Amino acid sequence: MTEVQQELGREGSSASSTMRETTILYEQRARRMAEEDALRLYNRVRQLQKEEGKAHKRIQETNKRAREIIALRERNERAQLEKEARLRELQQEIEQQKMENTRLREEVIRNRTEQEAKIWAEKEALARQAREERQELERLIADERILSRKEALEQREVVRRAEEEARQKLEQLRISKIQMAQEDYERRLREEMESKLERESEIERLAELEMQLIERLKQKQMRQRKAYQQLEAVLALGSSTRKSSSKPSSPQVPPQASPPPQEPTEEEVARAFSMYDTEASGEISTGCIDGLMRDLGVALAPSQLSQAIAQLDSRQCGKVSFGEFLLWWKG
């Protein structure tokens, strides 16, 4: 029993506590709804107050704008009145200016008429003076033409005499030039003939000298050939004597003598000379004489070389022509 009561008591206490909690929740929800309604009302009141302030402000602005419009209208009316007054004053000034312009125009017309009359009178006077001056000028021109014609005739005569004198002078000058040209031609002809004679005599002298040199060269070659022949005979005789003493029974065969050295021909001399004439000018320097002589088979001692250069370089220019070298070589 006791347990049942306790159980019932526990159930009753739990039910009462549940009801209390439900009541509290309901009250809390009601309070929240009341607070939300109060907040909405507060916001609506504030919104209405703002709208009222805006409406009051618009009313004030409208009143201000109305006052400004009224003031502007009054100013415009005053400006219109002032404008009409200025227009009346301006119209009066224009009328006065028209009257003044009319007076000035009449005065200008009067002055112009007087000025034109004065100018016309001056033009008449100037025209009369111009006619008189033209007549005087025509008279002076006629006199000047007469004088010019006389001077032209006199000048023409002077020019004719001057032309005649100039023609005579030119003729004399032409004759003198012809005479001078003839004399110069004769002089040059004489000089050319004299030069030609001198060259011909020089050519004859050189030809004679060349013949003499050739003859001397032939004589030298003949003497040299005889000397070689004598030398060959002596050599052959000595050789035969030695062979006969050593081998008397063997036949004697004369030894073959070496041919004598031949003197270079003019072509060989010219060929050797051209080897040193690198510029093909027909001349070589005196420093090439030693090498040229060696190429021709002749070795000169220093004293002989100096003497040969002194003989060849007679012009003291340091150059030797082929003709000079050939004459010296043949001599």
Side-chain angles (χ1 to χ4, degrees), residues 10-21:
R10 284 196 295 271
E11 290 178 359
S13 61
S14 61
S16 62
S17 62
T18 301
M19 289 179 64
R20 284 195 298 270
E21 289 177 359

Side-chain angles (χ1 to χ4, degrees), residues 163 165-176:
E163 289 178 352
E165 292 176 358
R167 192 179 299 108
Q168 292 176 0
K169 288 181 180 179
L170 288 174
E171 185 66 22
Q172 293 176 0
L173 182 62
R174 187 179 65 82
I175 293 171
S176 63

Side-chain angles (χ1 to χ4, degrees), residues 224-225 227-229 231-232 235 255-263:
Q224 188 176 8
R225 193 176 296 110
Y228 280 128
Q229 290 175 357
L231 180 61
E232 288 176 0
L235 291 174
Q256 296 291 331
S258 60
Q262 295 182 356
E263 187 175 356

Side-chain angles (χ1 to χ4, degrees), residues 53-69:
K54 289 180 180 179
H56 182 68
K57 187 175 181 180
R58 283 196 293 271
I59 291 169
Q60 289 179 352
E61 290 178 355
T62 303
N63 293 331
K64 183 179 179 181
R65 182 64 178 167
R67 288 193 298 271
E68 289 177 354
I69 291 171

Side-chain angles (χ1 to χ4, degrees), residues 109-164:
I109 291 171
R110 185 172 61 256
N111 292 333
R112 184 184 299 167
T113 304
E114 294 175 355
Q115 190 71 21
E116 288 177 354
K118 185 177 179 181
I119 291 171
W120 183 258
E122 290 178 355
K123 284 184 177 180
E124 287 291 334
L126 290 173
R128 186 169 54 255
Q129 184 179 358
R131 284 195 298 272
E132 293 175 356
E133 290 179 355
R134 188 183 302 111
Q135 292 174 0
E136 182 66 20
L137 183 61
E138 289 176 355
R139 186 180 61 79
L140 291 174
I141 290 172
D143 296 341
E144 185 68 24
R145 285 177 180 174
I146 294 170
L147 292 174
S148 298
R149 192 176 294 111
K150 290 180 180 179
E151 290 178 357
L153 292 174
E154 294 175 357
Q155 187 69 23
R156 189 178 301 168
E157 184 64 23
V158 172
V159 170
R160 189 184 63 78
R161 287 197 298 270
E163 289 178 352
E164 185 65 26

Side-chain angles (χ1 to χ4, degrees), residues 237-254:
L237 181 60
S239 176
S240 62
T241 304
R242 287 193 300 271
K243 287 182 179 181
S244 61
S245 61
S246 61
K247 293 180 181 180
S249 60
S250 62
Q252 295 181 359
V253 179

Side-chain angles (χ1 to χ4, degrees), residues 22 27 38 44 50 54-56 105 126 145-146 164 167 169 171 189 199 227 232 277 283 311-312 327:
T22 303
E27 292 296 333
R44 191 176 299 169
K50 288 181 180 179
K54 289 180 180 179
H56 182 68
R105 189 181 299 108
L126 290 173
R145 285 177 180 174
I146 294 170
E164 185 65 26
R167 192 179 299 108
K169 288 181 180 179
E171 185 66 22
L189 182 61
R199 290 177 182 175
E232 288 176 0
D277 185 12
E283 293 180 344
Q311 293 176 359
L312 289 169
L327 290 175

